[in-house]
Amino acid sequence: MKKFLFTVTLCVALVSVSTAQDPNFSQFFASPLTLNPALTGKFNGVYRIAGNYRNQWPTINNAFVTKTASIDFGIMKNRLADIDQFGIGIMGFTDRAGDGVLTSNYFGLSLAYHKGLDENGYHQIGAGFQGTYMSKRLDLTKVTFEDQLTPYGFTGITSESFSKQQISLGYFDLNAGVLYNGSTNGYNNFYLGASMYHINRPKETFQKGNFLLNARTTLQAGGKIPVGPYNYLHFSANYSMQAKAHNTMVGGAFALNVNGDEENPTTIYFGGWYRFDDAVIPYIGLEFGEFHIGASYDVNTSSLKPASNVKGGSEISLIYIRKPVDPNAKKLNCPKF
């Protein structure tokens, strides 16, 4: 019964205009182009491919299934100083809510420039912009209405004239961000970033009205500290605010180098994050060669525990960074978590 009531509430929220937060990942650090446009091109390598998959509240008819894929790379490298980087990226994003009742698709293009502040490139500041086209479709054929419920069950017939329609909308969105990262010796690293999404506040409604999408502001910070000759301790925090919704996450992971190779390590990550008033998120990762794979699981701790059966959501991530053939190619001091 609790699951049924939650499903009904979810469907009502989808059909109505909502001011809830945008879809987001627990492994926010593994989805750079959805976290901050200023992270575009901020990595060591020729190009970077990132993919993420999240299934939230799977016990409630796949309430939210979110996927994203992106590729970014540096351009004009021969015309820039070794401590500078000009990045460009392409991102695709899809989110299915309410078992497909509401489908949101995004396609974005990002540009970012990173400027070295010292001769070693230990300190950099960057700024990025992202233009996104968003398309949403509301499939009311998958919605169960109140007048379908009878003493004998669901009739499958509704008096709502629009119950067999698919409603869609689309708009252009503008996002931007800034990022600072630094190091004291080339081994440790720390960063601080801020981004804002929906700067132009596009109109978003399936009904008559003039609802403007609320801007979302996100702050990120983190770093890594060497532990012994090959291992690292990573830590990070992420805070976002959209209208009256707030999302705060803190945590970290220990990186254990299992092959003792500093240049081409095989590393296992153990750690976790905590989303305030919502979930504990254990994390495990594996890095080898040019690949980094991560897996996490949200253990729900909020008031939704009875409906979700404590199963907040599973998430996997994959990052592939193509390493340069030239061993003398320039290297950037980049944040990792």
Side-chain angles (χ1 to χ4, degrees):
M1 183 65 180
K2 290 180 179 179
K3 291 184 180 180
F4 169 74
L5 291 175
F6 184 86
T7 304
V8 171
T9 303
L10 178 64
C11 289
V12 170
L14 292 172
V15 176
S16 304
V17 175
S18 174
T19 58
Q21 281 189 298
D22 291 341
N24 59 81
F25 293 100
S26 293
Q27 297 180 50
F28 56 90
F29 46 83
S31 183
L33 299 194
T34 63
L35 178 63
N36 189 335
L39 287 168
T40 305
K42 189 65 170 172
F43 63 94
N44 277 314
V46 181
Y47 59 85
R48 171 176 60 184
I49 299 174
N52 307 78
Y53 172 85
R54 176 177 177 81
N55 188 356
Q56 183 173 339
W57 299 329
T59 57
I60 314 174
N61 293 328
N62 295 318
F64 298 96
V65 178
T66 308
K67 309 171 193 174
T68 186
S70 66
I71 180 171
D72 60 327
F73 45 87
I75 60 174
M76 302 173 60
K77 293 185 177 183
N78 295 332
R79 300 184 181 183
L80 301 176
D82 288 343
I83 57 175
D84 295 349
Q85 176 87 320
F86 188 10
I88 185 170
I90 301 171
M91 181 268 295
F93 190 104
T94 184
D95 181 70
R96 289 171 54 86
D99 204 18
V101 173
L102 177 64
T103 301
S104 305
N105 295 310
Y106 306 74
F107 177 80
L109 176 66
S110 301
L111 295 172
Y113 191 85
H114 306 276
K115 178 65 179 176
L117 302 178
D118 64 303
E119 61 181 8
N120 295 319
Y122 284 174
H123 300 269
Q124 278 190 331
I125 189 167
F129 295 90
Q130 184 181 77
T132 303
Y133 179 77
M134 201 287 303
S135 174
K136 286 194 175 186
R137 187 184 68 177
L138 188 63
D139 188 354
L140 296 177
T141 64
K142 297 182 178 180
V143 177
T144 301
F145 293 94
E146 181 182 4
D147 61 356
Q148 291 179 268
L149 182 61
T150 71
Y152 306 101
F154 289 97
T155 65
I157 301 173
T158 175
S159 60
E160 297 285 347
S161 61
F162 54 85
S163 64
K164 301 302 180 184
Q165 297 179 5
Q166 290 184 350
I167 303 174
S168 61
L169 61 86
Y171 55 79
F172 173 79
D173 210 356
L174 180 64
N175 315 313
V178 294
L179 178 75
Y180 164 79
N181 80 282
S183 175
T184 60
N185 55 17
Y187 291 95
N188 59 20
N189 186 280
F190 46 90
Y191 69 91
L192 177 65
S195 55
M196 179 172 286
Y197 288 75
H198 321 308
I199 294 176
N200 56 322
R201 298 205 62 192
K203 181 179 179 180
E204 183 183 61
T205 179
F206 291 105
Q207 301 172 345
K208 293 181 180 180
N210 194 31
F211 175 77
L212 300 181
L213 186 61
N214 288 295
R216 172 168 59 93
T217 301
T218 304
L219 303 177
Q220 317 95 37
K224 70 174 183 178
I225 302 173
V227 180
Y230 302 114
N231 306 322
Y232 288 90
L233 177 64
H234 298 264
F235 55 92
S236 62
N238 184 41
Y239 171 79
S240 62
M241 175 180 62
Q242 186 175 13
K244 296 181 180 180
H246 301 263
N247 187 349
T248 304
M249 292 183 62
V250 295
F254 181 75
L256 177 64
N257 186 321
V258 296
N259 67 347
D261 190 332
E262 184 177 3
E263 295 298 323
N264 296 287
T266 297
T267 305
I268 298 177
Y269 294 85
F270 302 95
W273 274 257
Y274 176 66
R275 184 184 297 111
F276 283 72
D277 302 319
D278 184 56
V280 175
I281 309 163
Y283 168 83
I284 186 170
L286 174 64
E287 183 177 22
F288 60 96
E290 299 172 321
F291 293 89
H292 188 148
I293 302 170
S296 62
Y297 193 87
D298 292 20
V299 181
N300 192 250
T301 60
S302 71
S303 57
L304 291 175
K305 283 191 300 183
S308 67
N309 198 23
V310 196
K311 298 178 181 179
S314 58
E315 189 173 313
I316 58 174
S317 65
L318 172 64
I319 294 179
Y320 171 80
I321 298 179
R322 176 62 177 175
K323 295 182 178 180
V325 177
D326 183 4
N328 297 318
K330 72 176 184 179
K331 295 182 179 181
L332 298 177
N333 184 33
C334 302
K336 199 163 190 177
F337 277 82

